[in-house]
Amino acid sequence: MEIRLVSLLEGARAAAGVVIIIDVFRAYTTAAVALSRGVEKIVLVAEVEEAIALRERGIGELCVGEVGGMRPEGFDFNNSPSQMAHADIEGKTIIQSTRAGTVGMTAATRAEKLYGGSFAVASATVEAISRQQPELLTIVAMGSEGRIRVDEDEQCALFLKNLFQGRRPDHEAVRTVVLAGEESQKYDDPTKPHFPPEDREMALAIDSHNFAIRVEREDGLLVARQELV
């Protein structure tokens, strides 16, 4: 299996084969928590307005996401795994829009298959894809708003690559590198309550979920569901 590591929005646009779109802080950690708590499915969209329009059409009950790390006006929840952990979401459909993870997913139009990637679902994602024995895998570290590389996504991409190649990275070493990064510092800033420390802890809980986040196109929409391994 050929493994390509790429980054940011241009990487997502060029990604081919089986594609993993990584967003650790926080899209695909939030999605993992939501799916683990009984959400039926998650509809992934690029824009806030699109999410609200789909909710108005009855496609989903709740809009979850962020712009600049903050809950957009008209949304039900921020892009926050800790909020999902306490929300009444069982059996519901969520519509998720973020400035990196879901934008990257919609941009990956050349992909044969799509997965959402984070530390929370790392080993399960590797197992789900390895079973398929694809010729080409592209791992996309989406970064901040798809424009700026960030430690957590780049480290997650390397972590996944090592797992695919049979190596077992040290979890605490990976956590230490990410915690030292610039994006991680937001979660210690009391002037930014929309970045709660609990979200960071959940995002760095490696292999906290035993399923992959498989994304498929259904009726013209990108829909994320659990893929059990």
Side-chain angles (χ1 to χ4, degrees):
M1 176 172 59
E2 177 186 352
I3 301 176
R4 298 176 183 172
L5 300 185
V6 299
S7 301
L8 310 179
L9 189 56
E10 60 264 32
R13 288 172 175 152
V18 175
V19 175
I20 305 172
I21 301 291
I22 294 176
D23 188 340
V24 173
F25 292 158
R26 294 168 282 179
Y28 297 121
T29 304
T30 299
V33 173
L35 289 167
S36 75
R37 297 200 61 244
V39 163
E40 180 183 352
K41 61 184 178 182
I42 303 175
V43 179
L44 306 175
V45 300
E47 302 300 331
V48 167
E49 296 78 12
E50 185 179 0
I52 293 174
L54 289 174
R55 186 182 60 190
E56 290 175 348
R57 287 171 48 197
I59 300 299
E61 291 89 353
L62 301 169
C63 289
V64 173
E66 55 81 25
V67 173
M70 302 181 71
R71 177 177 63 86
E73 183 176 353
F75 269 43
D76 301 283
F77 296 99
N78 197 345
N79 180 38
S80 167
S82 62
Q83 287 188 13
M84 290 295 96
H86 301 288
D88 179 15
I89 55 177
E90 185 174 359
K92 296 180 180 178
T93 293
I94 283 175
I95 306 163
Q96 187 180 28
S97 171
T98 74
R99 301 318 303 154
T102 67
V103 169
M105 197 66 73
T106 61
T109 55
R110 297 178 59 195
E112 295 174 10
K113 295 182 181 179
L114 283 165
Y115 287 85
S118 63
F119 287 117
V121 293
S123 291
T125 303
V126 170
E127 185 172 349
I129 293 173
S130 295
R131 289 176 178 176
Q132 303 169 38
Q133 299 183 326
E135 292 184 4
L136 173 62
L137 169 67
T138 307
I139 304 174
V140 186
M142 280 307 300
S144 177
E145 298 190 355
R147 299 182 296 105
I148 302 169
R149 287 179 171 86
V150 294
D151 291 354
E152 64 276 8
D153 290 353
E154 298 290 334
Q155 287 297 319
C156 187
L158 291 170
F159 186 86
L160 290 173
K161 180 183 178 183
N162 278 312
L163 290 181
F164 275 111
Q165 294 178 334
R167 294 180 291 273
R168 308 299 299 181
D170 182 278
H171 288 195
E172 285 307 310
V174 172
R175 280 176 48 87
T176 298
V177 171
V178 174
L179 286 169
E182 182 179 0
E183 289 298 306
S184 176
Q185 308 313 305
K186 296 177 180 178
Y187 296 89
D188 292 318
D189 188 342
T191 69
K192 297 177 179 178
H194 47 285
F195 292 112
E198 296 84 358
D199 282 2
R200 179 178 59 191
E201 288 307 303
M202 296 176 82
L204 294 180
I206 297 173
D207 293 338
S208 55
H209 296 79
N210 63 351
F211 57 83
I213 301 172
R214 175 73 177 272
V215 180
E216 296 182 302
R217 193 165 291 279
E218 300 178 13
D219 298 322
L221 299 172
L222 288 172
V223 176
R225 302 179 187 272
Q226 288 191 32
E227 182 175 331
L228 296 174
V229 296

